[in-house]
Amino acid sequence: MPADTSIDRVMRTEAAPRKRRWWRRKSDIGALDYARRWWMKLFVGAMFAMLYAPIITLMLFSFNDSRRNIVWKGFTFKYYIKAWNNDGLIEAFANSLTIAVISTVLSTIIGAMVALTLWRFRFPGKPAYEGFMALPIVVPEICMGVAMLVFFARIGWPSGMPWPLNLSSITIAHVAFSFPFVAVVVRARMTGFNRELEEAAKDLGASEWQTFRDVILPFMKPGVVAGALLAFTLSLDDFVITFFTSGPDTVTFPVKVYSMVRFSVTPEVNAASTVLVVITVIATFFAMKFQAPVKGSAD
Amino acid sequence: MTDAIISIRNITKRFGQVVAVDNISFDIPTNEFFALLGPSGCGKTTLLRMISGLENPTEGAIILDGVDTTGIPPNRRPVNMVFQSYAVFPHMNVLENVGYGLKVVGTPKSEIETRARDALQKVQLPELAERMPDQLSGGQRQRVALARALVKEPKVLLLDEPLSALDAKLREQMRLELANLQASVGITFIIVTHDQDEALSMADRIAVMDSGRVSQIATPEELYESPKTRFVADFIGKVNLLDGTVGSAGGKQITINVDGVGQLKVPLEGDAPSGEVAVAIRPEKLKLSSRKPAGDDVKIQGKVVNLAYYGNASHVFLETDSGLPMTANVQNDTRDFEGAIDVGDKTWISWRPDDALVLTE
């Protein structure tokens, strides 16, 4: 009789009734089906709880009918109304939105142009340029903030101008750190572009401009929209760089919330923060939606 | 040639140090289905792109319908291209895609619509005008690309590997359709392909290209039956190449000494070569038999080393007694072929002297 091969052994163990441990009972879970294992579910659940519990608590407590805002005292919209009537807060909010809109428009245009340049052309020093362009993404914000402060002080950028010119320094700072994000997103989008589309347009008689308008731009659009929304949320949220570039009369929303918290954490702060979270989430949602690859676009 | 629609004159294209196209000249007459055939990297696509204007030749000129195209950008040349990836614009529907070439030159809207629908009719896609490209199959997208190019009524239509992305059945069908389409629209077609079957079955004439040069320009039949070089013989179909030296030449016959086979008599056309040559015999021209065949045929003994079964035919890999590898193509015209020949069988290999060809290059 031949020696006991491993196949024989496997066959025999398979045939024998196996004593199953309780944690191994679900035998239909594949070897790589981690998502279906109970410990993975637990771990993922815990992760999400850790990440989002504070934010959800913040949102819930914005409806808390209590000044100290430590224990739940009942439901109210009072603090939303109070926040709405807080002129300082509203002014900060208006400042933030103005800065966000202007810096988004500027950084989207600059970022898209940078992305196009990097995608379309070969020129000496391109890798170096690409690296330097992306620096604001990696440079710590605090350094950027200090650098901006020193820069504006050094060149004597005028302050105390009438609104909205007094926001110019913050806006410039925001453009400086958000256009690389736009460039990166648009560039990533363009790598999926089939060069033959451009050639086909030219072959069919389109001029350089017609090709750009009719073929390249429509393909680029989702990337540009996603980049713009990214720039918008970055600008709206930014605290560190804004803090260094803002003056007493140019308080933005995050800076204002920070100063309010220094006195006391009232549900008013929660309400204001909730509004900001909601705006950010909506913008991010659309950014993701536009960034999703268009089916069949590679052809 | 006076009626040449396109005339390639001493075209050379260099990319840095690499010579992609090396001093090519030929003419293509009006209304011809012309194929550029060659292995990848032979320069055929580069040549096509130079005709379209997407690349500029380093040297030489392309004369299109009597006009030197040097310096004319692709958007102002009366040629259109069907791209390998089809390059159907993903954000436009089928009708917009087909009409795009008319729109950019300012054709009135009503005319665009009529002509685009007409072109879709020609490629048999009239019912899909409102579809988006991502709702189309590969074959349908290709038809859109074809219609989009044809609607411009180009003087020459360029096709870059148009069938390579289709599955085998569809490819065969499209070959016929392309040939019919070319005949019905009366436009010169230039097709680039690496697939010899494609070129042989569709084209009126084929230019076989190798490392940037044209090896031979001829009709499909001429290319297959009378290749000029080893490369052409080997690239178009399968061939047995036997190296030898020229022995005696006399009258319409020449004797070649092939190592291990002996003297082979081969018919001679034109001047007698000398020195090292190759004798080429197509696999389907070899006959296999277990008994020594009678008659004047060239006969060698050998054995079967391997068999490849293709259904309608089988490739029989042979080794002569002297150790030369040969391949025979046997039609499976009876159902019991597999039993008839087996690996290891001794066999006589024979062919008619007229079926062999001497290649000097």
Side-chain angles (χ1 to χ4, degrees):
Chain A
M1 196 175 147
D4 199 9
T5 65
S6 60
I7 286 290
D8 289 336
R9 232 174 293 141
V10 169
M11 301 284 279
R12 214 166 304 144
T13 29
E14 213 62 71
R18 195 196 292 168
K19 202 176 161 193
R20 288 198 173 139
R21 307 279 178 187
W22 64 269
W23 63 83
R24 294 239 183 261
R25 224 170 299 157
K26 276 191 180 167
S27 57
D28 64 327
I29 297 178
L32 295 174
D33 263 353
Y34 291 112
R36 289 174 64 201
R37 292 183 204 277
W38 64 270
W39 52 265
M40 185 54 104
K41 285 180 185 164
L42 197 71
F43 179 73
V44 171
M47 284 274 288
F48 277 111
M50 294 285 206
L51 279 172
Y52 290 111
I55 297 172
I56 290 167
T57 314
L58 171 130
M59 292 171 116
L60 288 178
F61 273 74
S62 69
F63 301 107
N64 190 6
D65 193 4
S66 151
R67 256 203 70 70
R68 309 284 308 159
N69 208 11
I70 295 163
V71 275
W72 184 259
K73 288 268 182 71
F75 184 86
T76 180
F77 276 118
K78 187 165 77 183
Y79 290 99
Y80 280 87
I81 296 156
K82 206 175 165 199
W84 182 251
N85 290 325
N86 183 336
D87 286 342
L89 196 62
I90 291 299
E91 191 199 319
F93 200 78
N95 280 347
S96 269
L97 279 179
T98 312
I99 294 165
V101 168
I102 297 171
S103 78
T104 299
V105 170
L106 292 177
S107 54
T108 304
I109 294 170
I110 297 173
M113 288 191 339
V114 167
L116 269 182
T117 309
L118 289 174
W119 167 72
R120 191 75 166 72
F121 302 108
R122 259 182 274 172
F123 50 89
K126 183 177 169 180
Y129 177 72
E130 217 170 344
F132 276 114
M133 185 274 298
L135 261 189
I137 297 177
V138 289
V139 168
E141 264 194 282
I142 186 76
C143 302
M144 279 277 282
V146 174
M148 289 290 175
L149 175 68
V150 174
F151 172 75
F152 285 118
R154 186 95 186 107
I155 65 162
W157 191 262
S159 59
M161 286 183 292
W163 193 91
L165 286 176
N166 55 355
L167 305 173
S168 57
S169 57
I170 303 178
T171 309
I172 290 168
H174 281 201
V175 170
F177 77 75
S178 53
F179 91 84
F181 287 91
V182 180
V184 166
V185 173
V186 175
R187 178 85 204 276
R189 169 82 193 163
M190 290 319 286
T191 48
F193 184 77
N194 176 4
R195 264 307 189 21
E196 287 195 344
L197 288 176
E198 189 190 341
E199 293 179 343
K202 288 210 185 117
D203 183 69
L204 290 166
S207 64
E208 200 78 47
W209 163 246
Q210 283 170 322
T211 307
F212 178 74
R213 188 194 59 195
D214 299 339
V215 178
I216 299 177
L217 199 60
F219 186 86
M220 201 167 87
K221 207 168 71 189
V224 173
V225 173
L229 289 167
L230 197 61
F232 186 77
T233 51
L234 281 171
S235 165
L236 202 59
D237 283 354
D238 185 72
F239 175 78
V240 179
I241 294 172
T242 315
F243 188 74
F244 280 92
T245 42
S246 64
D249 56 338
T250 55
V251 174
T252 68
F253 189 72
V255 177
K256 178 72 184 173
V257 168
Y258 173 73
S259 67
M260 284 165 77
V261 171
R262 280 162 61 183
F263 296 114
S264 69
V265 187
T266 62
E268 195 182 345
V269 173
N270 289 28
S273 306
T274 304
V275 171
L276 191 61
V277 168
V278 168
I279 292 174
T280 314
V281 166
I282 290 171
T284 314
F285 172 77
F286 281 107
M288 304 265 274
K289 206 174 138 122
F290 277 106
Q291 184 63 351
V294 182
K295 235 172 84 186
S297 59
D299 291 294
Chain B
M1 223 182 288
T2 47
D3 63 340
I5 185 83
I6 200 159
S7 162
I8 313 285
R9 297 202 186 147
N10 304 95
I11 286 289
T12 298
K13 176 70 181 176
R14 289 190 208 96
F15 294 105
Q17 292 296 308
V18 185
V19 183
V21 173
D22 191 2
N23 197 13
I24 285 180
S25 300
F26 60 83
D27 284 2
I28 301 172
T30 309
N31 211 354
E32 189 172 62
F33 200 131
F34 191 85
L36 290 168
L37 176 66
S40 44
C42 72
K44 55 190 193 299
T45 298
T46 309
L47 185 58
L48 195 78
R49 289 170 63 85
M50 285 193 282
I51 297 172
S52 74
L54 294 168
E55 304 277 357
N56 289 315
T58 318
E59 283 161 33
I62 294 167
I63 315 294
L64 187 68
D65 200 20
V67 180
D68 187 347
T69 59
T70 310
I72 300 180
N75 51 341
R76 283 192 272 128
R77 290 188 187 201
V79 293
N80 286 103
M81 184 136 149
V82 174
F83 289 83
Q84 188 168 10
S85 68
Y86 313 144
V88 175
F89 305 128
H91 56 281
M92 300 181 195
N93 71 22
V94 169
L95 199 66
E96 287 165 342
N97 257 288
V98 175
Y100 184 73
L102 301 173
K103 196 183 113 192
V104 288
V105 294
T107 314
K109 259 200 168 143
S110 53
E111 193 189 331
I112 295 178
E113 166 110 26
T114 348
R115 280 173 69 183
R117 289 203 184 271
D118 202 42
L120 282 174
Q121 193 79 43
K122 269 185 208 145
V123 297
Q124 296 160 33
L125 272 188
E127 70 284 5
L128 298 181
E130 270 70 44
R131 290 266 187 99
M132 291 307 280
D134 59 1
Q135 299 168 302
L136 301 178
S137 69
Q140 289 168 336
R141 267 185 239 180
Q142 183 185 44
R143 285 162 197 261
V144 174
L146 255 172
R148 190 176 66 178
L150 284 173
V151 82
K152 294 277 287 178
E153 292 167 1
K155 287 183 176 150
V156 178
L157 183 73
L158 310 172
L159 301 111
D160 186 8
E161 302 267 6
L163 306 180
S164 61
L166 303 177
D167 60 72
K169 271 264 191 259
L170 196 55
R171 195 151 53 210
E172 206 144 314
Q173 185 196 332
M174 278 311 283
R175 271 186 212 162
L176 273 175
E177 273 187 39
L178 274 181
N180 290 339
L181 189 67
Q182 195 270 331
S184 70
V185 295
I187 293 172
T188 308
F189 277 33
I190 303 179
I191 184 172
V192 155
T193 179
H194 63 271
D195 183 340
Q196 39 137 337
D197 291 339
E198 220 167 278
L200 291 176
S201 62
M202 289 194 290
D204 299 323
R205 277 195 317 152
I206 301 168
V208 181
M209 290 184 66
D210 176 31
S211 359
R213 291 163 189 273
V214 172
S215 300
Q216 189 174 357
I217 300 180
T219 63
E221 198 191 332
E222 222 178 307
L223 273 185
Y224 189 77
E225 298 297 350
S226 318
K228 286 241 164 58
T229 67
R230 278 159 178 263
F231 176 80
V232 175
D234 202 32
F235 192 77
I236 311 277
K238 287 188 165 56
V239 73
N240 292 298
L241 288 171
L242 306 173
D243 292 312
T245 49
V246 175
S248 60
K252 293 207 151 191
Q253 264 198 341
I254 183 169
T255 317
I256 313 285
N257 298 313
V258 178
D259 292 338
V261 177
Q263 292 201 327
L264 292 183
K265 285 201 174 80
V266 185
L268 179 66
E269 290 156 30
D271 296 331
S274 60
E276 304 277 322
V277 293
V279 178
I281 315 121
R282 294 286 180 194
E284 70 276 9
K285 279 154 192 155
L286 296 183
K287 301 242 162 10
L288 302 180
S289 50
S290 46
R291 262 171 295 169
K292 185 169 180 174
D296 304 337
D297 288 4
V298 182
K299 306 176 260 283
I300 322 175
Q301 266 191 302
K303 66 168 197 276
V304 179
V305 202
N306 216 334
L307 279 170
Y309 181 69
Y310 286 95
N312 62 332
S314 290
H315 287 164
V316 185
F317 298 95
L318 306 153
E319 198 180 274
T320 64
D321 287 351
S322 51
L324 277 177
M326 292 187 90
T327 310
N329 193 349
V330 181
Q331 284 296 313
N332 295 333
D333 44 13
T334 54
R335 287 185 62 194
D336 56 355
F337 164 77
E338 282 295 301
I341 298 182
D342 223 338
V343 175
D345 283 357
K346 282 273 185 192
T347 182
W348 279 93
I349 307 159
S350 62
W351 66 87
R352 296 193 306 132
D354 283 355
D355 288 341
L357 191 75
V358 182
L359 299 175
T360 50
E361 287 176 56

